[in-house]
C-alpha cells in the first residue's frame, strides 16, 4: 500500500484525538453526574478508533457520513471541531448541534456529517438518500454509513442493502462489529460467523476486516469508495473490533476479563505506532509530541465547553421549522 | 375554471412542480407501471423519465428513509405510501427522523419532504386498509399535516406542500380520487394553514375534514330550511387556522367537529380544546365531536357503514346541538 506520510501522521493524530476525547468526555460526565447533573447516555468509542479513522481519513469534505449513537469517533474523523463537540456534550449553545442533540446527535452538514442516531439501524435508509442525491445530481460523492452488529439485525439493514445494490447507489455500509449489542453477544444475535457474508444475498461485495488495524480498514474502504465513485454500487464492510468501556456509562459491564484483555493486546493505537516506527515514518519523540498536542487540544476543548453558556430557555422553540 | 377529478388535480400539481424544480422527484411502489394505486401519478413516468419517477421494491422503510436522506442533502422528494395504514412499517423514518432532524441538528438540516398517502374507509377493505391516522402525525412536532377535500384544494395545497421546506404529510381520501371539482385554469397555490369556509351559515359551525367535508355539506343542504349551517374545512391540521374556526364559532356559538378517524384521541378533540380554551364565552352549548367508532374498521358493509359518520348522523348531531 502506498500511503502519503501526511495521511499516516493524520491517522495517528485522529486516533490519539478520539481516544483522548473519550477519556475527557468520561471524566466530564462523571464529574457532572457526581454533582447531580446527569447528561444522558455516553457511548464510548474507545477501542474502535481504527474503524472511523481508516474509513474517513481519505474521504473528501463533500463526501457524507451517517454516524451512530457511538459516534464521537466518526465526527472527529470527518473533521468536526472537538471544541464544538465537547460543548455539545455539555448541552451548551456553542455545541455542534446548539445543544439540541447531545452526544448521540452531532451534525455538521458542511463537513458532510449527517448526524448520529438514537434509533438503531435508522442510518441505513438515510444513507440511501444521501447516496441517491449524489447519483441524481451526477456527482461522484460517496456516503459512508456506520452501524453496529446489533443494528445489523434490524429490518432496515435488509431493505437498505437490497435497494442500494439494486440501484447501485454510491454508499459504503460499515458494520462495526464490536461483539456486543448492550449485553447481547453476537452469538446470540445471528447464527453465521460474519455479517459481511450476508452481502452475497444482495449481490454486492462483502468484506471482513480487522477493525483494529487502521491500515486494513483504510485499504478496504478505499477500494469500496473507488467502486462507489465509479458507479458500481455499494460494499458491505464488517470491521471486527471491541469496545473497552461498558455499553454506556450507566450500564454495568459483565464481560469476561480475559476476553477484554485479549482485545486490549490488539489495541489499534500501539499497533499503528509500532508500524510507524518500524517503517521509520515517525519517531517515538514525534509520536510523543503529537500526543501532547492532541491532549492540549482536548483540554482546550473541555475548557471551551465549560465556559460556554447554556441555551436560553426563550429559544426553546427555535429550529423546529424551516 | 375547469372541471377535473381530484386525482387529476394531484397529477397537475406534481407535473407543474416537477417542471418548475428539477430537485423534485417522485418515489414509491408501483408508481411507474400503475401510476400508483390511486392512479394520480399516471403518465408522469413517461413525461419525466425513470430518473425522476422512482419505482421502488416493496420497502417502505428504505424508500421513506431514502427520501429523508435525499431531502437533507438538497432534493425535494415526494414519496407515496400506498395506504396510510402502511406507515407503521416506516414510522421511525417519519417520526424519529423526518420530524426530528432539523430540531436535533440545531436548525442545520432542512427537510423539504412530502409524504403522500391515502386514508379512509368506505370501500370494504377492512381494518388494515381503512384508517384515518392524521392524529398520529399531528401529535408529532415537526410534521405538517394536510387533508384536502376537493380537487381545487388538492392541487393548490400539494403545490404548497412541495415548495415547503418542512416535512409534510399529505393525506388524500380513497373515495375522493374520482370526485370532480372546479379548479382555476391558471396556476395557483393555496398556502398551508388557511382554512376555508365551504358554506357560510349563522346557527352552527361544523368543522369537517377530508371526505367528511362533503358529508357535512350534504347534511347542511338537507337542513337548509331548518338551520343555517356554516361548514369550515381547516384543510391543514398543522398549521391550523384557528382564527377562521374561532371567527365562525364566535358568530354561531355552536361547534360540531366531524372526522372519520376514531373519535378517541382524535384531532377533533384538539379543535374542541382550543375552541373551549380560546372562545369559551362565545359558546352557547357544549361543543361536540362526531367521529368514527373506536373500533378496527369492520369488513362487512353494514358494519363498516355503522363506524363512519354519514349524512344522517351529522344531521342528527346538528339538530341536537341547535335544539
Ligand atoms: C430501535 C432501537 N432499539 C433499541 C435501542 C436501545 N439500544 C441502544 S444501543 C443498543 C445496542 C446497539 O448495538 P450495536 O448496534 O451492536 O452498537 P454498539 O452499541 O455495540 O456500538 C440498543 C439495543 C435503540 N436505541 N433503538
Ligand atoms: Mg455492537
Amino acid at each position: 500500500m502506498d500511503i502519503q506520510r501526511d495521511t499516516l501522521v493524520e491517522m495517528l493524530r485522529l486516533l490519539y484525538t478520539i481516544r483522548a476525547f473519550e477519556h475527557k468526555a468520561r471524566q466530564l460526565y462523571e464529574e457532572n453526574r457526581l454533582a447531580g447533573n446527569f447528561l444522558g447516555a455516553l457511548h464510548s468509542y474507545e477501542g474502535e478508533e481504527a474503524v472511523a479513522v481508516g474509513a474517513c481519513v481519505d474521504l473528501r469534505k463533500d463526501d457524507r457520513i451517517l454516524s451512530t449513537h457511538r459516534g464521537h469517533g466518526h465526527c472527529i474523523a470527518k473533521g468536526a471541531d472537538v471544541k464544538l463537540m465537547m460543548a455539545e456534550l455539555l448541552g451548551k449553545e456553542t455545541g455542534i448541534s446548539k445543544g439540541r442533540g447531545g452526544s448521540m446527535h452531532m451534525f455538521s452538514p458542511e463537513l458532510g456529517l449527517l448526524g448520529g442516531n438514537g434509533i438503531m439501524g435508522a442510518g441505513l435508509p438515510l444513507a440511501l438518500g444521501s447516496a441517491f442525491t449524489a447519483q441524481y445530481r451526477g456527482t461522484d460523492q460517496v456516503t459512508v454509513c456506520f452501524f453496529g452488529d446489533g443494528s445489523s439485525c434490524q429490518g432496515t439493514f435488509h431493505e437498505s442493502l437490497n435497494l442500494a445494490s439494486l440501484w447501485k447507489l454510491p454508499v459504503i455500509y460499515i458494520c462495526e462489529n464490536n461483539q456486543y449489542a448492550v449485553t447481547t453477544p453476537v452469538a446470540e444475535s445471528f447464527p453465521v460467523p460474519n455479517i459481511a457474508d450476508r452481502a452475497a444475498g444482495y449481490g454486492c461485495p462483502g468484506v471482513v476486516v480487522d477493525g483494529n488495524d487502521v491500515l486494513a480498514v483504510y485499504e478496504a474502504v478505499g477500494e469500496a469508495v473507488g467502486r462507489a465513485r465509479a458507479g458500481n454500487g455499494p460494499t458491505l464492510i464488517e470491521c471486527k473490533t471491541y469496545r473497552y468501556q461498558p455499553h454506556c456509562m450507566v450500564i454495568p459491564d459483565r464481560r469476561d476479563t480475559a476476553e477484554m484483555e485479549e482485545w486490549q493486546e490488539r489495541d489499534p493505537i500501539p499497533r499503528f505506532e509500532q508500524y510507524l516506527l518500524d517503517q521509520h515514518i515517525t519517531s517515538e519523540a514525534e509520536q510523543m509530541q503529537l500526543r501532547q498536542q492532541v491532549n492540549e487540544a482536548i483540554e482546550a476543548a473541555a475548557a471551551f465547553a465549560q465556559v460556554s453558556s447554556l441555551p436560553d430557555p426563550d429559544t426553546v422553540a427555535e429550529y423546529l421549522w424551516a | 375554471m375547469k372541471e377535473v377529478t381530484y386525482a387529476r388535480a394531484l397529477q397537475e400539481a406534481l407535473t407543474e412542480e416537477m417542471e418548475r424544480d428539477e430537485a423534485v422527484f417522485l418515489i414509491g411502489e408501483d408508481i411507474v407501471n400503475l401510476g400508483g394505486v390511486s392512479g394520480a401519478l399516471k403518465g408522469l413516468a413517461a413525461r419525466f423519465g425513470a430518473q425522476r419517477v422512482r419505482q421502488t421494491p416493496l420497502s417502505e422503510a428504505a424508500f421513506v428513509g431514502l427520501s429523508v436522506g435525499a431531502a437533507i442533502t438538497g432534493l425535494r422528494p415526494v414519496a407515496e405510501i400506498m395506504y396510510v395504514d402502511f406507515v407503521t412499517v416506516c414510522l421511525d423514518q417519519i417520526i424519529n427522523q423526518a420530524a426530528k432532524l432539523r430540531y436535533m441538528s440545531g436548525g442545520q438540516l432542512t427537510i423539504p419532504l412530502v409524504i403522500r398517502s391515502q386514508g379512509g374507509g368506505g370501500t370494504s377493505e377492512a381494518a388494515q386498509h381503512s384508517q384515518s391516522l392524521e392524529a398520529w402525525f399531528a401529535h408529532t412536532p415537526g410534521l405538517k399535516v394536510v387533508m384536502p377535500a376537493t380537487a381545487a384544494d388538492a392541487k393548490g395545497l400539494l403545490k404548497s406542500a412541495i415548495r415547503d421546506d418542512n416535512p409534510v404529510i399529505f393525506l388524500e381520501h380513497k373515495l375522493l380520487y374520482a370526485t370532480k371539482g372546479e379548479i382555476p385554469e391558471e396556476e395557483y397555490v393555496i398556502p398551508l394553514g388557511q382554512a376555508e369556509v365551504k358554506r357560510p351559515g349563522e346557527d352552527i359551525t361544523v368543522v369537517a375534514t377530508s371526505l367528511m367535508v362533503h358529508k357535512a355539506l350534504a347534511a347542511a343542504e338537507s337542513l337548509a330550511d331548518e338551520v343555517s349551517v356554516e361548514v369550515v374545512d381547516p384543510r391543514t391540521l398543522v398549521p391550523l387556522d384557528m382564527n377562521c374556526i374561532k371567527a365562525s364559532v364566535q358568530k354561531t356559538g355552536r361547534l360540531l367537529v366531524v372526522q372519520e378517524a376514531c373519535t378517541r384521541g382524535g384531532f377533533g378533540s384538539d379543535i374542541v380544546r382550543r375552541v373551549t380554551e380560546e372562545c369559551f364565552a362565545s359558546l352557547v352549548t357544549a361543543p361536540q365531536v362526531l367521529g368514527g367508532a373506536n373500533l378496527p374498521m369492520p369488513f362487512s358493509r353494514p358494519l363498516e357503514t355503522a363506524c363512519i359518520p354519514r349524512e344522517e348522523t351529522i344531521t342528527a348531531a346538528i339538530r341536537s346541538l341547535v335544539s
Side-chain angles (χ1 to χ4, degrees):
Chain A
M1 217 182 335
D2 195 17
I3 312 178
Q4 300 267 317
R5 180 179 188 276
D6 284 357
T7 306
L8 292 165
V9 174
E10 176 62 4
M11 285 178 172
L12 187 64
R13 191 188 67 79
L14 289 169
L15 290 169
Y16 285 159
T17 304
I18 298 170
R19 178 89 32 116
F21 183 92
E22 295 296 36
H23 281 175
K24 192 70 198 176
R26 266 198 305 138
Q27 186 199 324
L28 290 178
Y29 260 60
E30 198 51 22
E31 283 168 18
N32 271 275
R33 193 180 64 77
L34 292 175
N37 180 26
F38 179 58
L39 291 169
L42 184 77
H43 302 87
S44 168
Y45 198 61
E46 211 183 314
E48 307 183 33
E49 297 91 343
V51 180
V53 174
C56 295
V57 71
D58 245 5
L59 293 180
R60 298 193 319 229
K61 191 174 171 192
D62 68 343
D63 291 327
R64 295 184 280 252
I65 69 166
L66 274 298
S67 174
T68 67
H69 60 298
R70 198 178 297 291
H72 307 156
H74 311 138
C75 300
I76 290 170
K78 193 69 176 69
D81 182 340
V82 289
K83 281 187 176 157
L84 308 187
M85 290 177 60
M86 206 66 94
E88 188 63 30
L89 292 183
L90 300 188
K92 299 298 177 75
E93 182 66 35
T94 53
I96 194 162
S97 306
K98 300 207 167 66
R100 272 67 173 176
S103 164
M104 288 189 270
H105 307 284
M106 299 203 182
F107 297 83
S108 183
E110 79 258 20
L111 295 173
L113 178 54
L114 298 181
N117 218 300
I119 308 298
M120 294 310 108
L124 286 95
L126 296 176
L128 294 173
S130 168
F132 179 88
T133 298
Q135 193 185 63
Y136 189 90
R137 296 281 194 205
T139 73
D140 67 348
Q141 292 156 287
V142 301
T143 299
V144 171
C145 176
F146 296 96
F147 58 100
D149 47 283
S151 305
S152 80
C153 301
Q154 287 283 350
T156 50
F157 173 91
H158 167 66
E159 290 194 23
S160 302
L161 267 286
N162 181 60
L163 191 60
S165 190
L166 181 72
W167 288 2
K168 292 208 180 315
L169 294 172
V171 56
I172 297 97
Y173 282 112
I174 300 186
C175 180
E176 305 183 301
N177 181 351
N178 62 5
Q179 315 303 322
Y180 290 89
V182 191
T183 63
T184 307
V186 286
E188 291 174 36
S189 281
F190 40 85
V192 291
N194 300 313
I195 293 162
D197 294 347
R198 298 183 201 163
Y202 303 108
C204 71
V207 187
V208 179
V209 177
D210 177 353
N212 282 17
D213 179 350
V214 69
L215 295 173
V217 176
Y218 177 89
E219 195 175 0
V221 175
E223 202 168 305
V225 166
R227 246 177 78 76
R229 283 208 211 286
N232 294 324
T235 304
L236 172 61
I237 299 174
E238 176 182 4
C239 298
K240 308 266 193 195
T241 184
Y242 201 78
R243 65 169 153 77
Y244 290 171
Q245 298 300 326
H247 169 73
C248 64
M249 287 190 67
V250 292
I251 297 210
D253 202 345
R254 302 211 173 79
R255 289 176 301 174
D256 183 40
T257 31
E259 176 187 280
M260 291 170 74
E261 281 164 13
E262 193 187 311
W263 276 98
Q264 303 231 1
E265 277 162 29
R266 284 186 260 161
D267 190 303
I269 297 179
R271 267 172 85 175
F272 189 53
E273 286 173 332
Q274 193 58 51
Y275 169 86
L276 296 175
L277 293 175
D278 292 348
Q279 301 292 314
H280 308 292
I281 293 164
T282 56
S283 67
E284 224 164 293
E286 284 167 328
Q287 292 180 0
M288 192 112 79
Q289 195 194 1
L290 186 59
R291 201 187 271 272
Q292 189 55 37
Q293 283 166 3
V294 162
N295 289 343
E296 281 163 18
I298 293 295
E299 286 304 324
F304 170 82
Q306 278 164 318
V307 301
S308 288
S309 309
L310 287 163
D312 176 353
D314 286 346
T315 65
V316 69
E318 276 175 23
Y319 310 125
L320 182 61
W321 302 115
Chain B
M1 300 292 268
K2 60 181 179 186
E3 196 183 56
V4 298
T5 62
Y6 184 92
R8 169 80 200 169
L10 292 166
Q11 194 216 65
E12 284 193 11
L14 294 167
T15 306
E16 288 175 16
E17 292 309 299
M18 287 179 81
E19 250 155 26
R20 180 175 178 269
D21 185 351
E22 185 263 318
V24 178
F25 73 98
L26 310 181
I27 189 165
E29 291 157 11
D30 300 292
I31 66 173
V32 170
N33 301 347
L34 196 65
V37 288
S38 68
L41 274 51
K42 264 206 187 86
L44 293 177
R47 184 171 188 136
F48 293 102
Q51 172 72 4
R52 296 185 67 194
V53 182
R54 301 299 293 239
Q55 179 166 296
T56 70
L58 184 37
S59 300
E60 284 83 1
F63 80 73
V64 174
L66 184 154
S67 299
V68 179
I72 62 179
T73 51
L75 299 184
R76 306 186 81 84
V78 182
E80 172 173 302
I81 297 174
M82 266 190 193
Y83 278 60
V84 76
D85 312 72
F86 312 155
V87 297
T88 50
V89 300
C90 55
L91 218 39
D92 178 61
Q93 305 303 324
I94 301 172
I95 305 296
N96 282 321
Q97 312 304 326
K100 302 288 192 287
L101 293 183
R102 182 174 180 81
Y103 192 82
M104 292 189 112
S105 67
Q108 292 179 88
L109 297 184
T110 304
I111 306 143
L113 164 68
V114 178
I115 298 176
R116 294 177 42 251
S117 194
Q118 56 172 292
T123 52
S124 273
E125 290 179 270
Q128 295 167 344
H129 289 75
S130 302
Q131 295 170 88
S132 299
L133 298 176
E134 63 273 15
W136 289 11
F137 305 112
H139 187 67
T140 300
L143 300 176
K144 296 191 175 180
V145 183
V146 182
M147 293 184 82
T150 66
D153 290 348
K155 180 173 177 183
L157 290 167
L158 184 53
K159 285 169 69 78
S160 288
I162 294 170
R163 293 181 195 183
D164 202 288
D165 278 336
N166 299 286
V168 180
I169 309 297
F170 195 90
L171 298 170
E172 299 153 14
H173 194 293
K174 52 176 76 66
L175 289 179
L176 289 175
Y177 289 119
T179 61
K180 288 187 172 165
E182 299 258 294
I183 68 170
E185 299 275 356
E186 65 281 5
E187 203 198 338
Y188 69 100
V189 296
I190 298 173
L192 306 187
Q194 218 173 73
E196 188 176 62
V197 176
K198 296 287 186 187
R199 177 189 174 107
E202 301 299 324
D203 303 330
I204 180 169
T205 300
V206 176
V207 174
T209 46
S210 191
L211 181 67
M212 293 301 120
V213 172
H214 301 277
K215 300 201 177 181
L217 287 170
E221 182 60 27
S222 74
L223 288 171
D225 296 339
E226 275 173 63
V227 34
S228 169
V229 178
E230 178 146 302
V231 177
V232 177
D233 177 2
R235 302 195 290 196
T236 66
L237 304 188
V238 183
L240 181 65
D241 184 357
M242 266 315 284
N243 289 340
C244 176
I245 295 172
K246 280 196 295 192
S248 178
V249 172
Q250 277 154 359
K251 177 173 66 173
T252 65
R254 294 180 173 83
L255 173 67
L256 173 68
V257 183
V258 186
Q259 69 184 35
E260 182 170 335
C262 302
T263 310
R264 184 171 57 226
F267 195 78
S269 309
D270 213 47
I271 293 178
V272 168
R273 173 185 67 81
R274 297 271 314 259
V275 165
T276 316
E277 285 174 1
E278 295 170 36
C279 50
F280 187 70
S282 306
L283 290 167
V284 298
T285 185
Q288 194 185 321
V289 177
L290 177 65
N294 296 316
L295 292 169
M297 192 70 84
F299 161 67
S300 180
R301 191 43 70 86
L303 300 179
E304 183 183 43
T305 304
C307 287
I308 305 174
R310 49 189 193 279
E311 189 185 323
E312 308 86 78
T313 57
I314 298 170
T315 311
I318 293 171
R319 282 214 178 97
S320 87
L321 275 169
V322 294
S323 66

